[in-house]
């Protein structure tokens, strides 16, 4: 059973936006339906739209929840728990009205003053929202106050530091929940269990036994309707600094002293700080051109709506990096991510070192391969351990086969990351959220790359492939599951 949340008001800034309707409202409904918020959770949607009101917001939420839920139960939840308040950007009087509205809801529903402020806002709106919350005293209350900040967390090291400083003016670190939704995915959390509950892997998890680690996050989707944001961000900011770096930290970190937020975050920070500065020759940038996905022709990045014709924004990045500590010295880590790649695939491949001598060379021509462990985080969640077996009969042949575990086979459908993360916000568990020092350690690593990005070649790759050839050559091969 999930832990039960204390009663609270859950304020969503950007309450009518894409994230709220696609992820947050459905997650809040599921937590309600599971009884997690049975002691009371009043949701207050906040947005600029003055034409929206409680009734329309409830209709929006019902529509957002779609067909997968009991419509009567959804309507009852919407009627009893959802409210709306218009707030213009950085308008003090609007924030005063918001404060009055929250207090009125707390009185009406007899809530103890616990508040969540979920900033589902575009990055340019973060600062004003935090300042205004502070200015009208909304950061203090009779109960607890938590603020949830969506990615991207800054654009570079300086802006991430400034945002951390601003948040720390108004909140303590234990009140701040920086979201990276990858940490809410079951398969990502399973990395911790996989590594630290199974002693047999932990004893092999080091430079003595591992030759290289490859982390791939491939998407078949293109930039979709987000060119306004994406063209200014690019894959390095959008994916590498956050999601891929979190995966890297979980694979590389030392054993935490306990399964607790502070202990886990401390080890992740140490791992990130041990990464050596990345050399220009260890990065490949790419941008997708026209191609074919699932048999359908798709346009190139520069032909997408709202992308400037000559855009030099990368939609693909491959990086080779090294972690300078006792566990990993000399083991290359390859990160690779891109849009419009052959298919959606997130995987981590751990290649083990080969046996020192290939004694079968005299009896067969099969090549000398290393064992490997393939952790597939999406879409076919599970893992495979590849090893060699003798093919029955003559002549003597060796065949590579996987031992396979499938999440779907063992457990069925996995919960949505946002449901897990909102549950943790409501119950005050920061384990799956990113600490200020993690954001800064990650930006410290990638900011030098961002600064010289314009001077580096941008390789075109056809949509529907695994990225530019330059990266294949650089990382060794295409993603394992693709072969
Ligand atoms: C988001 C990025 O954080 O993650 C998107 O901004 C990307 O560009 C998305 O598409 C990928 O998430 P998922 O869960 O579909 O792998």
């Amino acid at each position: 059973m999930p832990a039960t949340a204390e009663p609270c008001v859950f304020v969503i800034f950007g309450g009518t936006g894409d994230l709220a309707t696609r992820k947050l409202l459905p997650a809040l409904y599921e937590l309600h339906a599971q009884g997690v918020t049975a002691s009371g959770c009043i949701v207050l949607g906040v947005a600029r739209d003055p034409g929206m009101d409680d009734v329309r917001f409830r209709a929006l939420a019902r529509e957002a929840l779609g067909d997968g839920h009991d419509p009567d139960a959804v309507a009852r939840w919407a009627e009893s728990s959802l409210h709306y308040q218009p707030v213009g950007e950085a308008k003090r009087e609007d924030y005063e009205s918001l404060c009055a509205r929250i207090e009125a809801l707390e009185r009406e529903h007899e809530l103890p003053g616990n508040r969540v402020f979920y900033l589902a806002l575009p990055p340019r709106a973060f600062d004003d929202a935090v300042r205004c919350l502070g200015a009208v005293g909304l950061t203090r209350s009779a109960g607890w106050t938590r603020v949830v900040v969506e990615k991207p967390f800054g654009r570079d090291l300086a802006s991430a530091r400034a945002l951390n400083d601003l948040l720390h003016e108004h909140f303590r670190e234990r009140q701040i929940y920086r979201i990276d939704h990858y940490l809410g995915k079951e398969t990502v959390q399973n990395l911790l269990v996989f590594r630290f509950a199974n002693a047999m892997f932990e004893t092999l998890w080091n430079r003595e036994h591992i030759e290289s680690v490859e982390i791939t996050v491939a998407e078949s989707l293109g930039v979709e309707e987000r060119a306004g944001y994406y063209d200014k961000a690019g894959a390095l900011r959008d994916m590498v600094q956050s999601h891929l770096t979190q995966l890297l930290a979980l694979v590389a970190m030392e054993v935490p002293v306990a399964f607790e937020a502070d202990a886990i975050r401390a080890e992740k920070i140490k791992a990130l700080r041990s990464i050596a500065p990345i050399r220009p020759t260890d990065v490949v940038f790419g941008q997708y051109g026209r191609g074919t996905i699932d048999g359908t022709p798709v346009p190139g990045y520069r032909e997408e709506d709202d992308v400037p014709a000559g855009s030099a924004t990368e939609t693909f990045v491959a990086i080779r990096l090294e972690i300078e500590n006792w566990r990993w010295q000399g083991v290359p880590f390859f990160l690779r991510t891109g849009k419009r790649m052959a298919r959606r695939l997130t995987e981590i491949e751990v290649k083990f070192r080969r046996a020192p001598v290939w004694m079968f060379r005299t009896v067969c021509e099969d090549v000398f391969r290393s064992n490997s462990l393939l952790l597939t985080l999406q879409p076919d969640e599970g893992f495979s351990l590849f090893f060699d077996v003798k093919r029955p009969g003559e002549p003597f042949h060796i065949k590579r086969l996987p031992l396979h575990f499938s999440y779907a086979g063992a457990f069925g459908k996995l919960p949505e990351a946002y449901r897990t993360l909102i549950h943790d916000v409501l119950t005050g568990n920061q384990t799956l959220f990113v600490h200020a020092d993690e954001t800064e350690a990650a930006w410290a690593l990638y900011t030098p790359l961002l600064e010289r990005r314009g001077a580096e070649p941008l390789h075109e790759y056809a949509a529907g492939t695994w990225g530019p050839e330059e990266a294949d050559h650089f990382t060794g091969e295409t993603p394992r599951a693709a072969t």
Side-chain angles (χ1 to χ4, degrees):
M1 281 294 289
T4 317
E6 290 172 331
C8 68
V9 176
F10 195 102
V11 185
I12 308 177
F13 284 80
T16 56
D18 187 55
L19 183 68
T21 49
R22 274 193 315 116
K23 303 286 184 189
L24 308 184
L25 291 168
L28 283 161
Y29 173 72
E30 277 177 33
L31 292 168
H32 159 82
Q34 289 175 342
V36 172
T37 53
S39 55
C41 177
I42 295 300
V43 179
L44 182 61
V46 167
R48 278 183 298 183
D49 185 355
M52 178 67 70
D53 56 16
D54 285 3
V55 174
R56 291 198 178 103
F57 184 57
R58 287 168 191 158
L60 181 77
R62 288 204 306 272
E63 196 186 324
L65 270 120
D67 300 331
H69 305 275
D70 170 2
D72 294 336
V74 171
R76 280 197 300 280
W77 168 70
E79 195 58 34
S80 62
S81 307
L82 300 192
H83 300 271
Y84 177 80
Q85 178 75 20
V87 172
E89 245 171 75
K91 284 198 186 153
R92 188 181 168 116
E93 57 281 14
D94 283 2
Y95 277 80
E96 281 163 356
S97 309
L98 173 65
C99 189
R101 182 80 193 274
I102 292 173
E103 285 167 2
L105 287 168
E106 286 172 346
R107 278 193 300 278
E108 183 187 336
H109 296 272
E110 297 179 3
L111 299 173
N114 298 329
R115 296 163 182 175
V116 175
F117 295 107
Y118 197 118
L119 306 184
L121 292 171
R124 62 175 167 72
F126 283 174
D127 287 23
D128 284 340
V130 175
R131 271 185 238 285
C132 289
L133 285 173
V136 301
L138 268 169
T139 50
R140 294 179 297 278
S141 79
W144 47 252
T145 302
R146 296 174 189 149
V147 61
V148 187
V149 188
E150 268 292 335
K151 73 170 269 285
F153 193 87
R155 292 183 50 73
D156 52 19
L157 181 56
S159 56
R161 274 192 184 139
L163 187 51
N164 276 329
D165 289 347
L166 175 68
L167 285 164
H168 289 149
E169 271 176 42
H170 301 282
F171 300 96
R172 281 194 281 276
E173 182 62 26
R174 65 177 170 73
Q175 297 178 284
I176 305 168
Y177 291 70
R178 293 177 196 78
I179 287 234
D180 181 314
H181 78 275
Y182 267 55
L183 293 177
K185 291 180 192 273
E186 288 288 333
T187 43
V188 175
Q189 295 172 62
N190 185 50
L191 281 173
L192 291 172
V193 176
F194 191 86
R195 282 194 57 195
F196 303 128
N198 299 299
M200 64 177 280
F201 291 113
E202 190 46 28
T203 51
L204 298 175
W205 214 256
N206 56 51
R207 62 196 299 273
E208 295 299 321
H209 302 285
I210 293 180
E211 189 178 87
S212 67
V213 178
E214 246 178 83
I215 301 178
T216 301
V217 182
E219 297 183 272
S220 57
L221 289 178
V223 68
E224 311 303 299
E225 289 86 39
R226 298 165 70 226
Y229 150 76
Y230 192 86
D231 197 62
K232 293 194 191 70
L236 190 56
R237 286 194 175 97
D238 184 49
M239 297 294 287
V240 178
Q241 186 276 341
S242 49
H243 307 323
L244 279 93
T245 304
Q246 285 297 325
L247 297 181
L248 169 69
L250 293 172
V251 171
M253 69 196 241
E254 292 301 317
V255 189
V257 292
F259 189 63
E260 283 168 5
D262 288 348
I264 292 172
R265 295 184 335 168
E267 295 306 337
K268 280 160 67 189
I269 293 164
K270 266 162 58 187
L272 295 179
R273 287 187 179 152
S274 312
I275 299 174
I278 303 165
R279 292 176 296 236
T281 46
D282 284 344
V283 186
V284 174
F285 291 111
Q287 188 188 67
Y288 65 84
R290 287 181 194 178
T292 309
I293 304 261
D294 290 336
T296 310
V298 295
Y301 177 71
R302 293 179 187 176
E303 300 162 316
E304 301 272 21
D305 288 347
D306 301 327
V307 172
S311 170
T313 298
E314 81 285 359
T315 61
F316 173 97
V317 188
I319 296 179
R320 176 187 189 281
L321 49 80
E322 286 193 12
I323 301 177
E324 291 187 327
N325 63 18
W326 281 48
R327 187 188 283 265
W328 293 118
Q329 187 66 41
V331 178
F333 281 72
F334 298 105
L335 308 185
R336 162 174 38 204
T337 184
K339 293 213 181 275
R340 283 285 191 234
M341 292 176 71
R343 68 183 171 89
R344 181 172 187 242
L345 174 70
T346 299
E347 66 170 32
I348 298 171
E349 185 181 7
V350 179
K351 279 193 193 137
F352 293 95
R353 293 199 188 283
R354 298 189 300 192
V357 175
W358 185 236
M359 60 173 265
F360 300 102
R361 65 187 183 281
T362 51
V363 287
C364 71
E365 288 174 354
D366 296 301
V367 285
F368 193 0
R369 285 166 295 213
S370 56
N371 294 104
S372 65
L373 171 68
L374 186 66
L375 296 144
T376 307
L377 308 180
Q378 54 192 23
D380 302 317
E381 293 88 350
F383 64 80
S384 302
L385 183 59
F386 289 86
F387 59 104
D388 284 336
V389 294
K390 180 184 178 302
R391 201 169 68 186
E394 297 299 329
F396 195 99
H397 264 309
I398 290 177
K399 192 166 168 51
R400 171 122 305 198
L401 284 174
L403 254 185
H404 184 63
F405 161 76
S406 147
Y407 254 99
F411 300 108
K413 193 170 177 290
L414 296 175
E416 266 277 326
Y418 273 94
R419 197 210 64 86
T420 306
L421 294 173
I422 292 179
H423 171 268
D424 288 0
V425 172
L426 289 169
T427 53
N429 181 354
Q430 287 187 306
T431 309
L432 302 179
F433 296 85
V434 184
H435 188 277
D437 294 350
E438 280 178 76
T439 59
E440 292 182 20
W443 279 122
L445 194 59
Y446 302 118
T447 299
L449 298 188
L450 285 167
E451 283 166 357
R452 43 166 210 260
R453 195 174 46 163
E456 301 296 335
L458 181 67
H459 303 281
E460 185 175 317
Y461 60 100
T465 64
W466 289 104
E469 275 170 20
E470 288 75 4
D472 275 0
H473 167 67
F474 165 83
T475 53
E477 42 187 73
T478 46
R480 176 84 205 205
T483 56

